Amino acid sequence: MPGTSKENGGRHPLYKGVRQRKNSDKWVSEIREPRTPNRIWLGTFSTPEMAAIAYDVAALALKGTQTELNFPNSASSFPVPATMSPGDIQAAAASAAAAFGAARDAIVMTNNNSATSSVERSNVMMMNGSYEDTYGFMDEDFIFDMPNMLMNMAEGMLLSPPHG
């Protein structure tokens, strides 16, 4: 497959500072310190996006706001290293990558739960014969989970749920 990371020395075709480990699904990130031959190892990550975010945090710390980033629109939300030491840069980069990974996992889990419950509801509706074609109406309470909707809204607003 042209343009794959395996064909271009493991480098990611889109993200700067990211490469794939040989014979692995893991992604690594490192950055060269300006005006020195030294590199700062930023870590090994499960996705190229996590590695790219780690690179961006380090690039901002070492090169400033005018540097080319993988995710320029997210720069203001990245953690800033406590000092310019390699250890602090690594810690901030790892923190940003972990936050992205956790957010991604939460979104995937929410989407999977929503998709599963929608499929389950559709299957139950079809098995029970409560489709609009059969009866001429759609049970909106069932579709929108109205019995739990007020409870969920109250929980989201940190209010006591309504009684009754």
Side-chain angles (χ1 to χ4, degrees):
M1 187 160 131
T4 63
S5 61
K6 300 293 183 191
E7 290 180 2
N8 56 20
R11 284 181 160 158
H12 193 277
L14 187 63
Y15 300 127
K16 186 174 174 66
V18 176
R19 64 182 169 80
Q20 189 170 23
R21 281 201 183 272
K22 290 181 183 179
N23 303 319
S24 174
D25 291 336
K26 300 291 183 180
W27 296 87
V28 298
S29 183
E30 62 186 351
I31 189 167
R32 186 180 301 276
E33 290 183 69
R35 297 173 297 283
T36 73
N38 302 334
R39 293 175 186 235
I40 298 175
W41 179 256
L42 301 173
T44 302
F45 305 95
S46 58
T47 68
E49 291 81 12
M50 291 172 72
I53 287 172
Y55 175 86
D56 283 359
V57 169
L60 281 171
L62 293 169
K63 300 176 183 179
T65 58
Q66 298 304 311
T67 191
E68 185 179 336
L69 299 175
N70 295 305
F71 301 102
N73 295 334
S74 299
S76 63
S77 67
F78 293 148
V80 177
T83 68
M84 294 298 288
S85 75
D88 285 344
I89 291 171
Q90 289 168 327
S95 172
F100 172 82
R104 184 202 66 228
D105 292 347
I107 290 168
V108 167
M109 183 181 289
T110 300
N111 288 342
N112 286 346
N113 288 344
S114 295
T116 300
S117 61
S118 295
V119 168
E120 287 171 356
R121 286 181 187 150
S122 295
N123 289 342
V124 168
M125 286 173 62
M126 289 174 71
M127 288 188 308
N128 291 340
S130 59
Y131 247 149
E132 186 173 324
D133 295 339
T134 306
Y135 292 101
F137 75 94
M138 179 86 52
D139 186 352
E140 291 177 357
D141 284 348
F142 184 74
I143 293 170
F144 295 112
D145 195 23
M146 291 304 277
N148 292 319
M149 184 175 166
L150 291 175
M151 299 290 273
N152 292 338
M153 289 174 60
E155 184 179 305
M157 296 179 0
L158 301 176
L159 301 173
S160 298
H163 299 292

